[in-house]
Amino acid sequence: MRLKVLTAALATTGFAICASSANAAMTTDNHGNVGYDSYDECVTAVKDGSAKFYTPYTYQNPKRQAGEVSVKKMRLSEVMIPQNVVDRNRLTTSDYAAGACDLGVGQSNGRYGVSGALVGKYVPIAADMPVNVYMDAAGNPVRLTMQQCDNHFGDKFPMPIVSEVKEPAAQVAVAETRTMEPVIVGTTRVIRPAKYSVKEVIIAPSDQINRVNTPQGTAVAIEGANRTVIVGEEADADIIDKTEINQTFPVKRVPDTKP
């Protein structure tokens, strides 16, 4: 049965470090990006500050794959790795606070990976790299790509680097007089407005969708269980690909009424 996805209201991993980066075998491509022979060498370079993080050099819009309903734009450090991915890959971290050292791969599924010179090398990825976070109908992340070029990583989630936790400095008891005063910190936050934002997602069989043209666009009526009717606005693939999800949203699945 063919399913239609509609928006109901549119408004506008840890590892030991065994090698020194000074002796690391490093490969550089024609764009200045680098890769290392092993994950450990890459991690060492990142942690001692000698690594050059990967910089995309092409531009391509997001492209969803089967089972991916929406795309959210984030920084890599803002992404939490799903627990099933952590368990399956035996990762010792579930975040990208320290970035990633990912195995470079080539083209697949209509999208590029890294340049040919870095395929099979471990490429350092910065924690602040902008990424596309593809999500399923329940709003769970299922895949990451580089935001600028939509190039994929070695797996659906790049291999994370375990961030180091520094021990707190020893406290020295000093007798002193302290005064407590309230401190007000002012912050300025600039948020680029999303072109679209989703408030609700409806999944329904295509043969249960009726369309009516209105001055505000195409109204969609869907007959659900017990003859309930859900009305919304249809969103084509181009709109969904360009939609930024900045919050959780309900997903309604309308059952097939056929026996």
Side-chain angles (χ1 to χ4, degrees), residues 119-143:
V119 172
K121 305 296 182 180
Y122 286 86
V123 180
I125 308 297
D128 63 352
M129 171 182 273
V131 293
N132 292 319
V133 184
Y134 290 87
M135 298 186 174
D136 60 17
N140 300 311
V142 294
R143 185 169 62 97

Side-chain angles (χ1 to χ4, degrees), residues 40-216:
D40 292 338
E41 290 172 327
C42 179
V43 170
T44 299
V46 171
K47 292 192 174 184
D48 68 17
S50 65
K52 180 184 184 297
F53 292 115
Y54 190 86
T55 301
Y57 51 88
T58 59
Y59 294 83
Q60 204 163 20
N61 290 326
K63 182 180 180 181
R64 290 175 295 116
Q65 297 180 2
E68 297 171 352
V69 172
S70 59
V71 187
K72 183 176 182 179
K73 296 180 179 181
M74 303 172 66
R75 298 286 178 179
L76 183 62
S77 60
E78 298 172 333
V79 178
M80 292 299 296
I81 306 173
Q83 190 58 45
N84 65 319
V85 176
V86 173
D87 295 341
R88 182 174 67 247
N89 294 285
R90 298 180 179 179
L91 307 180
T92 56
T93 184
S94 59
D95 62 60
Y96 292 103
C101 274
D102 195 54
L103 181 63
V105 293
Q107 182 178 6
S108 66
N109 296 322
R111 287 295 187 267
Y112 292 103
V114 296
S115 59
L118 300 184
V119 172
K121 305 296 182 180
Y122 286 86
V123 180
I125 308 297
D128 63 352
M129 171 182 273
V131 293
N132 292 319
V133 184
Y134 290 87
M135 298 186 174
D136 60 17
N140 300 311
V142 294
R143 185 169 62 97
L144 305 182
T145 63
M146 303 177 195
Q147 188 180 124
Q148 175 179 302
C149 54
D150 202 43
N151 287 8
H152 54 77
F153 294 102
D155 204 342
K156 292 185 177 180
F157 291 85
M159 185 70 73
I161 297 173
V162 178
S163 58
E164 295 180 347
V165 179
K166 297 182 178 180
E167 295 183 1
Q171 299 296 312
V172 179
V174 178
E176 60 179 41
T177 301
R178 298 183 179 182
T179 59
M180 301 298 292
E181 296 182 0
V183 177
I184 300 175
V185 179
T187 62
T188 300
R189 188 179 183 188
V190 179
I191 303 177
R192 179 173 59 81
K195 188 173 183 180
Y196 305 101
S197 66
V198 175
K199 294 183 180 178
E200 182 179 15
V201 167
I202 300 171
I203 303 177
S206 58
D207 57 0
Q208 294 178 220
I209 301 173
N210 296 314
R211 299 175 176 81
V212 179
N213 292 328
T214 72
Q216 290 75 36

